[in-house]
Amino acid sequence: MPYTLYRGDALTALAGIPDNSVDALITDPPYNSGGRTSSERTGRSARAKYTSADAEHDLANFPGENRDQRSYGFWLTLLLTESYRATVESGTALVFTDWRQLPTTTDALQAAGWTWRGIASWHKPVSRPQKGRLKQSCEYIVWGTKGSVDANRNPVYLPGLYTASQPRKGRVHITQKPVEVMQELVKICPPGGTVLDPFAGSGTTGVAALREGRQFIGVELSKHYADIANERLHNALTQDDFELAGPEE
Ligand SMILES: C[S@@+](CC[C@H](N)C(=O)[O-])C[C@H]1O[C@@H](n2cnc3c(N)ncnc32)[C@H](O)[C@@H]1O
């Protein structure tokens, strides 16, 4: 089977993944952000934080959004440490974050042992203008490698800026990432290699990985979202006529 989805806690599931067995960690963790004050960030649900009042959807809440700043940094470091152990030498980590958690995410990545290589941006053209302020129209992808970059292993040239709107039609998760962006990002994993996403949500990273001929290991704590991810992964295999990619010419 080219994919495995675990239903449960990311740290617990990661402990069962063998050393040096995945090629790329590509993940979109709960940001534990979305508020000016500590009580706004820790006291509100994901739905309250990330869904605007005029949103045309009524999607399910998700867990893991109520850590304070210090414990978020600590927890993210643990996750990135376990993911580092599970990743092959010269493998890659791509971790989504927002402007508030950018410094914490770059700290956690490095504390976990990864070599920080840069930040790419996901630009959302349809974002809310804010009077008297600069628009927050980007989320960020902090990236790094386990040791040195081995360009011969995967000789790709990838952009540092991705523009796409959040899915509207057929959207199934509050913070769902556009599959077209994820399809570009999974190319950091060598063809036929394995992508790991310990916060799979609705399974977008996995769908992208399968579409691009990569294998996928995902973890999702919410039963509601794990069921959705399972269905989307299954459809990606059956409808997209999955074939493991060989080395790119
Ligand atoms: C930001 S969302 C990911 C959305 C995903 N990128 C998508 O396109 O659907 C983070 C996900 O992590 C899950 N989560 C929260 N805490 C978790 C934990 N401890 N272990 C595994 N998954 C967790 C949430 O239920 C949520 O679905």
Side-chain angles (χ1 to χ4, degrees), residues 11 27-34 38 41-42 49-50 62-81 94-109 111-112 139-140 142 177 199:
L11 262 180
T27 196
D28 173 25
Y31 290 174
N32 285 254
S33 184
S38 175
R41 292 192 202 187
T42 56
K49 293 201 261 186
Y50 306 126
F62 63 80
E65 269 291 339
N66 304 103
R67 289 178 175 86
D68 71 13
Q69 194 56 22
R70 226 174 46 177
S71 59
Y72 182 63
F74 183 65
W75 177 71
L76 195 58
T77 304
L78 292 176
L79 276 148
L80 293 174
T81 302
L94 269 53
V95 185
F96 275 83
T97 190
D98 71 354
W99 66 276
R100 282 196 179 92
Q101 296 293 23
L102 186 55
T104 300
T105 305
T106 59
D107 284 351
L109 186 87
E139 291 178 36
Y140 304 98
V142 171
K177 297 293 171 283
F199 301 102

Side-chain angles (χ1 to χ4, degrees), residues 6 9-19 21 82 85-86 217 219:
Y6 298 98
D9 171 62
L11 262 180
T12 312
L14 280 173
I17 298 180
D19 295 358
S21 60
E82 270 298 286
R85 178 194 56 72
I217 301 174
V219 188

Side-chain angles (χ1 to χ4, degrees), residues 8-10 28 30 62-63 173 175-177 198-202 204 220-221:
D9 171 62
D28 173 25
F62 63 80
H173 193 289
T175 61
Q176 191 170 330
K177 297 293 171 283
F199 301 102
S202 63
T204 314
E220 172 54 46
L221 184 56

